[in-house]
Amino acid sequence: MARWFDNENPGLRNFWHPVARVADLDNSRPHAVRLLGVDYTLAQLDGHWALLPETCPHRLAPLTSGTIVGETLQCAYHGWKFDGSGSCVDIPALGSEATIPPTAHLETPAAIEERYGLIWVALDEPLHPIPAVPEWNDDAFGVAVIPAQVWQASAAQMADNFLDVAHFPFTHLGTIGDPEDLEVAPYEVTRDGWSFSSVHHHSSKVLGDATSGETEAFTTFHRTMTFRCDAPHHVRLHIDYGVDGDLVLLFFHQPIDVGHSALYSLALAENIADGRMTAADHIAFQSEVGREDRELLERLATKAVPLEVGVETHTRADRITVELRRLLADIDDLPTG
Ligand code: FES
Ligand SMILES: [Fe+2]
């Protein structure tokens, strides 16, 4: 049987996933989070974000209906209280001398961390770190936060699209695609453990300089694009426009369930820091580029990426996305349980 990689692959438990943008959260109440097809409750307890199961171990009430009381989350049904480590610390019906049943303990993820304005979770011990972004604390770059979106596609399909170097003049004719730049020059892909990278040179349209009074909305640039993919399917794209400064695009994915993924995207740009462009300009432009990809991806017949040669037809222009399939196959090969 052909192997396919979808958003509920068990190997994904061993890697970091973003589950929310901190700025979107109200820390006075619990929030619903869905990851790898399972529902969780995200709450800030004792100053730290904690991911707890959605179901109370007592009578299976939803913990997202609970309330934050002191350093605990209190279930709305019978008032059991849980701390950030998942321990049940109070069963009101049993009084202060209560013996807490061991099965009242909630399972928590192996690791949870805040980075790049996002909350990251690894359900089991992570095999690879959260992707590094060297430009994050670099004053030469300004940050544009693109609002989180949920796409009806798998995270692997979205990464496949963000790594793809042959689709610009077709999918993105309305934005970055240069209709004259069809051929993909030969290129190398370098695998390094649970990541790989690749460098490309090609021409692209970019938004005109807002401060120069140009009447043309776009100008064409020769650009060098350095792609890096970190397992399971996070993409960092560093674009060097030569004369116009650098742009770093980050595509972090949350595999929600088989049919849905959240995209947390950021643009770090030198032309924001030097005042030639605004974060709002970048948000509007990247949202439009993303809309072009999304329209196509959501219409793919499956919500998974095939791992076997023969299901799709690969060419030398697809080396980078073939490497993604190798990385996904290695995740699929991880022992489960
Ligand atoms: S169902 Fe949660 S305390 Fe009873
Ligand atoms: Fe695209």
Side-chain angles (χ1 to χ4, degrees):
M1 223 179 80
R3 289 157 76 203
W4 294 77
F5 194 96
D6 69 24
N7 269 354
E8 296 183 18
N9 190 291
L12 289 171
R13 294 183 59 87
N14 300 96
F15 295 92
W16 287 100
H17 307 282
V19 296
R21 187 162 261 151
V22 178
D24 296 339
L25 298 173
D26 168 357
N27 64 3
S28 70
R29 64 174 180 87
H31 295 266
V33 158
R34 194 162 161 79
L35 182 65
L36 312 190
V38 177
D39 289 316
Y40 296 91
T41 307
L42 180 67
Q44 196 179 62
L45 303 174
D46 199 15
H48 301 281
W49 288 101
L51 192 75
L52 303 172
E54 165 60 342
T55 307
C56 178
H58 179 218
R59 286 293 175 266
L60 315 184
L63 286 175
T64 40
S65 300
T67 318
I68 293 173
V69 177
E71 296 167 2
T72 65
L73 177 63
Q74 181 165 45
C75 180
Y77 202 174
H78 312 92
W80 292 21
K81 287 183 187 158
F82 302 90
D83 69 15
S85 72
S87 293
C88 179
V89 294
D90 186 20
I91 296 181
L94 300 183
S96 56
E97 299 301 306
T99 302
I100 311 281
T103 50
H105 188 83
L106 299 175
E107 199 186 315
T108 54
I112 183 163
E113 217 172 281
E114 217 176 296
R115 190 88 59 89
Y116 314 130
L118 302 169
I119 296 169
W120 294 76
V121 164
L123 295 172
D124 292 340
E125 215 42 62
L127 295 173
H128 187 63
I130 294 171
V133 182
E135 301 83 0
W136 181 252
N137 284 321
D138 185 341
D139 289 343
F141 288 83
V143 181
V145 179
I146 294 136
Q149 297 178 12
V150 175
W151 290 20
Q152 290 180 39
S154 67
Q157 289 174 313
M158 291 159 75
D160 186 50
N161 172 258
F162 298 133
L163 291 165
D164 189 295
V165 289
H167 78 297
F168 305 121
F170 300 97
T171 313
H172 294 303
L173 255 193
T175 54
I176 51 175
D178 176 355
E180 307 297 321
D181 189 49
L182 302 175
E183 261 181 60
V184 175
Y187 63 92
E188 298 296 320
V189 180
T190 310
R191 176 77 182 258
D192 178 17
W194 288 107
S195 69
F196 61 86
S197 51
S198 184
V199 181
H200 296 261
H201 307 275
H202 86 134
S203 76
S204 157
K205 292 185 296 182
V206 293
L207 215 49
D209 185 336
T211 62
S212 70
E214 284 169 14
T215 47
E216 279 290 314
F218 297 108
T219 40
T220 302
F221 277 90
H222 185 79
R223 64 179 190 174
T224 302
M225 303 196 295
T226 306
F227 289 90
R228 182 182 159 100
C229 178
D230 283 276
H233 28 46
H234 302 302
V235 176
R236 184 179 95 209
L237 170 56
H238 188 127
I239 307 172
D240 180 350
Y241 287 105
V243 296
D244 197 45
D246 290 7
L247 171 68
V248 178
L249 298 175
L250 304 169
F251 304 97
F252 299 136
H253 301 106
Q254 173 188 358
I256 295 174
D257 52 32
V258 167
H260 303 88
S261 306
L263 170 64
Y264 303 95
S265 188
L266 295 157
L268 311 183
E270 288 187 321
N271 63 20
I272 296 176
D274 67 21
R276 285 178 298 143
M277 298 270 281
T278 65
D281 293 331
H282 279 274
I283 292 167
F285 188 63
Q286 292 306 330
S287 300
E288 184 56 20
V289 176
R291 193 193 56 75
E292 292 171 330
D293 287 318
R294 179 178 182 170
E295 213 161 78
L296 193 89
L297 276 199
E298 291 191 336
R299 296 179 61 207
L300 294 183
T302 68
K303 303 293 178 198
V305 169
L307 298 181
E308 276 154 51
V309 180
V311 179
E312 301 164 301
T313 306
H314 304 302
T315 73
R316 68 164 173 77
D318 305 313
R319 288 181 74 167
I320 187 166
T321 48
V322 169
E323 195 60 47
L324 173 68
R325 283 152 180 73
R326 292 199 188 105
L327 185 82
L328 297 173
D330 290 344
I331 296 171
D332 187 53
D333 283 340
L334 289 170
T336 52

PDB file of all heavy atoms in Angstrom, residues 56 58-61 63 75-80 82, ligand 1:
ATOM      1  N   CYS A  56     -11.675  16.352  31.230  1.00  0.00           N
ATOM      2  CA  CYS A  56     -11.448  16.154  32.670  1.00  0.00           C
ATOM      3  C   CYS A  56     -11.519  14.653  32.978  1.00  0.00           C
ATOM      4  O   CYS A  56     -12.429  13.955  32.511  1.00  0.00           O
ATOM      5  CB  CYS A  56     -12.512  16.910  33.460  1.00  0.00           C
ATOM      6  SG  CYS A  56     -12.373  16.690  35.244  1.00  0.00           S
ATOM      7  N   HIS A  58     -12.467  13.144  35.536  1.00  0.00           N
ATOM      8  CA  HIS A  58     -13.561  12.750  36.425  1.00  0.00           C
ATOM      9  C   HIS A  58     -14.791  12.299  35.632  1.00  0.00           C
ATOM     10  O   HIS A  58     -15.022  11.115  35.458  1.00  0.00           O
ATOM     11  CB  HIS A  58     -13.902  13.921  37.382  1.00  0.00           C
ATOM     12  CG  HIS A  58     -15.031  13.617  38.315  1.00  0.00           C
ATOM     13  ND1 HIS A  58     -15.966  14.571  38.661  1.00  0.00           N
ATOM     14  CD2 HIS A  58     -15.380  12.484  38.970  1.00  0.00           C
ATOM     15  CE1 HIS A  58     -16.839  14.026  39.501  1.00  0.00           C
ATOM     16  NE2 HIS A  58     -16.496  12.752  39.690  1.00  0.00           N
ATOM     17  N   ARG A  59     -15.528  13.231  35.074  1.00  0.00           N
ATOM     18  CA  ARG A  59     -16.710  12.884  34.278  1.00  0.00           C
ATOM     19  C   ARG A  59     -16.595  13.441  32.863  1.00  0.00           C
ATOM     20  O   ARG A  59     -17.588  13.725  32.207  1.00  0.00           O
ATOM     21  CB  ARG A  59     -17.985  13.380  34.966  1.00  0.00           C
ATOM     22  CG  ARG A  59     -18.383  12.551  36.186  1.00  0.00           C
ATOM     23  CD  ARG A  59     -18.802  11.128  35.808  1.00  0.00           C
ATOM     24  NE  ARG A  59     -19.083  10.286  36.976  1.00  0.00           N
ATOM     25  CZ  ARG A  59     -18.192   9.482  37.543  1.00  0.00           C
ATOM     26  NH1 ARG A  59     -16.960   9.428  37.066  1.00  0.00           N
ATOM     27  NH2 ARG A  59     -18.526   8.748  38.580  1.00  0.00           N
ATOM     28  N   LEU A  60     -15.351  13.613  32.440  1.00  0.00           N
ATOM     29  CA  LEU A  60     -15.033  13.922  31.045  1.00  0.00           C
ATOM     30  C   LEU A  60     -15.585  15.273  30.563  1.00  0.00           C
ATOM     31  O   LEU A  60     -15.849  15.459  29.368  1.00  0.00           O
ATOM     32  CB  LEU A  60     -15.505  12.786  30.123  1.00  0.00           C
ATOM     33  CG  LEU A  60     -15.180  11.362  30.595  1.00  0.00           C
ATOM     34  CD1 LEU A  60     -15.606  10.343  29.537  1.00  0.00           C
ATOM     35  CD2 LEU A  60     -13.699  11.166  30.910  1.00  0.00           C
ATOM     36  N   ALA A  61     -15.759  16.210  31.484  1.00  0.00           N
ATOM     37  CA  ALA A  61     -16.214  17.552  31.089  1.00  0.00           C
ATOM     38  C   ALA A  61     -15.084  18.273  30.335  1.00  0.00           C
ATOM     39  O   ALA A  61     -13.908  17.993  30.556  1.00  0.00           O
ATOM     40  CB  ALA A  61     -16.612  18.356  32.325  1.00  0.00           C
ATOM     41  N   LEU A  63     -12.380  20.812  29.724  1.00  0.00           N
ATOM     42  CA  LEU A  63     -11.632  21.718  30.602  1.00  0.00           C
ATOM     43  C   LEU A  63     -11.551  23.135  30.034  1.00  0.00           C
ATOM     44  O   LEU A  63     -11.252  24.077  30.766  1.00  0.00           O
ATOM     45  CB  LEU A  63     -10.232  21.158  30.886  1.00  0.00           C
ATOM     46  CG  LEU A  63     -10.225  19.959  31.862  1.00  0.00           C
ATOM     47  CD1 LEU A  63      -8.816  19.388  32.003  1.00  0.00           C
ATOM     48  CD2 LEU A  63     -10.781  20.357  33.229  1.00  0.00           C
ATOM     49  N   CYS A  75     -12.101  22.744  36.938  1.00  0.00           N
ATOM     50  CA  CYS A  75     -13.141  22.184  36.066  1.00  0.00           C
ATOM     51  C   CYS A  75     -14.498  22.783  36.427  1.00  0.00           C
ATOM     52  O   CYS A  75     -14.835  22.976  37.605  1.00  0.00           O
ATOM     53  CB  CYS A  75     -13.164  20.662  36.202  1.00  0.00           C
ATOM     54  SG  CYS A  75     -14.426  19.884  35.160  1.00  0.00           S
ATOM     55  N   ALA A  76     -15.278  23.086  35.375  1.00  0.00           N
ATOM     56  CA  ALA A  76     -16.564  23.757  35.573  1.00  0.00           C
ATOM     57  C   ALA A  76     -17.634  22.830  36.165  1.00  0.00           C
ATOM     58  O   ALA A  76     -18.665  23.286  36.646  1.00  0.00           O
ATOM     59  CB  ALA A  76     -17.056  24.298  34.233  1.00  0.00           C
ATOM     60  N   TYR A  77     -17.389  21.490  36.152  1.00  0.00           N
ATOM     61  CA  TYR A  77     -18.450  20.552  36.546  1.00  0.00           C
ATOM     62  C   TYR A  77     -18.449  20.307  38.060  1.00  0.00           C
ATOM     63  O   TYR A  77     -19.432  20.625  38.751  1.00  0.00           O
ATOM     64  CB  TYR A  77     -18.251  19.254  35.746  1.00  0.00           C
ATOM     65  CG  TYR A  77     -19.476  18.360  35.597  1.00  0.00           C
ATOM     66  CD1 TYR A  77     -19.429  17.218  34.790  1.00  0.00           C
ATOM     67  CD2 TYR A  77     -20.676  18.645  36.248  1.00  0.00           C
ATOM     68  CE1 TYR A  77     -20.532  16.387  34.631  1.00  0.00           C
ATOM     69  CE2 TYR A  77     -21.780  17.824  36.105  1.00  0.00           C
ATOM     70  CZ  TYR A  77     -21.702  16.693  35.293  1.00  0.00           C
ATOM     71  OH  TYR A  77     -22.795  15.872  35.140  1.00  0.00           O
ATOM     72  N   HIS A  78     -17.358  19.763  38.629  1.00  0.00           N
ATOM     73  CA  HIS A  78     -17.318  19.486  40.074  1.00  0.00           C
ATOM     74  C   HIS A  78     -16.164  20.175  40.774  1.00  0.00           C
ATOM     75  O   HIS A  78     -15.830  19.854  41.908  1.00  0.00           O
ATOM     76  CB  HIS A  78     -17.247  17.972  40.328  1.00  0.00           C
ATOM     77  CG  HIS A  78     -18.250  17.181  39.554  1.00  0.00           C
ATOM     78  ND1 HIS A  78     -17.970  16.648  38.310  1.00  0.00           N
ATOM     79  CD2 HIS A  78     -19.550  16.864  39.824  1.00  0.00           C
ATOM     80  CE1 HIS A  78     -19.041  16.033  37.841  1.00  0.00           C
ATOM     81  NE2 HIS A  78     -20.023  16.148  38.734  1.00  0.00           N
ATOM     82  N   GLY A  79     -15.505  21.069  40.035  1.00  0.00           N
ATOM     83  CA  GLY A  79     -14.517  21.933  40.673  1.00  0.00           C
ATOM     84  C   GLY A  79     -13.150  21.349  40.954  1.00  0.00           C
ATOM     85  O   GLY A  79     -12.363  21.940  41.698  1.00  0.00           O
ATOM     86  N   TRP A  80     -12.823  20.182  40.380  1.00  0.00           N
ATOM     87  CA  TRP A  80     -11.462  19.660  40.563  1.00  0.00           C
ATOM     88  C   TRP A  80     -10.475  20.691  40.008  1.00  0.00           C
ATOM     89  O   TRP A  80     -10.740  21.325  38.978  1.00  0.00           O
ATOM     90  CB  TRP A  80     -11.271  18.325  39.818  1.00  0.00           C
ATOM     91  CG  TRP A  80     -12.052  17.175  40.371  1.00  0.00           C
ATOM     92  CD1 TRP A  80     -13.169  17.234  41.149  1.00  0.00           C
ATOM     93  CD2 TRP A  80     -11.777  15.785  40.151  1.00  0.00           C
ATOM     94  NE1 TRP A  80     -13.626  15.970  41.437  1.00  0.00           N
ATOM     95  CE2 TRP A  80     -12.784  15.050  40.840  1.00  0.00           C
ATOM     96  CE3 TRP A  80     -10.811  15.074  39.452  1.00  0.00           C
ATOM     97  CZ2 TRP A  80     -12.822  13.654  40.840  1.00  0.00           C
ATOM     98  CZ3 TRP A  80     -10.851  13.686  39.446  1.00  0.00           C
ATOM     99  CH2 TRP A  80     -11.848  12.988  40.143  1.00  0.00           C
ATOM    100  N   PHE A  82      -6.476  21.589  38.727  1.00  0.00           N
ATOM    101  CA  PHE A  82      -5.253  21.004  38.150  1.00  0.00           C
ATOM    102  C   PHE A  82      -4.191  22.092  38.036  1.00  0.00           C
ATOM    103  O   PHE A  82      -4.495  23.219  37.616  1.00  0.00           O
ATOM    104  CB  PHE A  82      -5.541  20.433  36.753  1.00  0.00           C
ATOM    105  CG  PHE A  82      -6.626  19.385  36.772  1.00  0.00           C
ATOM    106  CD1 PHE A  82      -7.967  19.740  36.595  1.00  0.00           C
ATOM    107  CD2 PHE A  82      -6.321  18.046  36.998  1.00  0.00           C
ATOM    108  CE1 PHE A  82      -8.976  18.782  36.635  1.00  0.00           C
ATOM    109  CE2 PHE A  82      -7.328  17.079  37.031  1.00  0.00           C
ATOM    110  CZ  PHE A  82      -8.661  17.451  36.857  1.00  0.00           C
TER     111      PHE A  82
HETATM  112  S1  FES B   1     -16.039  16.415  35.367  1.00  0.00           S
HETATM  113 FE1  FES B   1     -14.426  17.697  35.927  1.00  0.00          FE
HETATM  114  S2  FES B   1     -14.599  17.815  38.046  1.00  0.00           S
HETATM  115 FE2  FES B   1     -16.124  16.460  37.498  1.00  0.00          FE
END
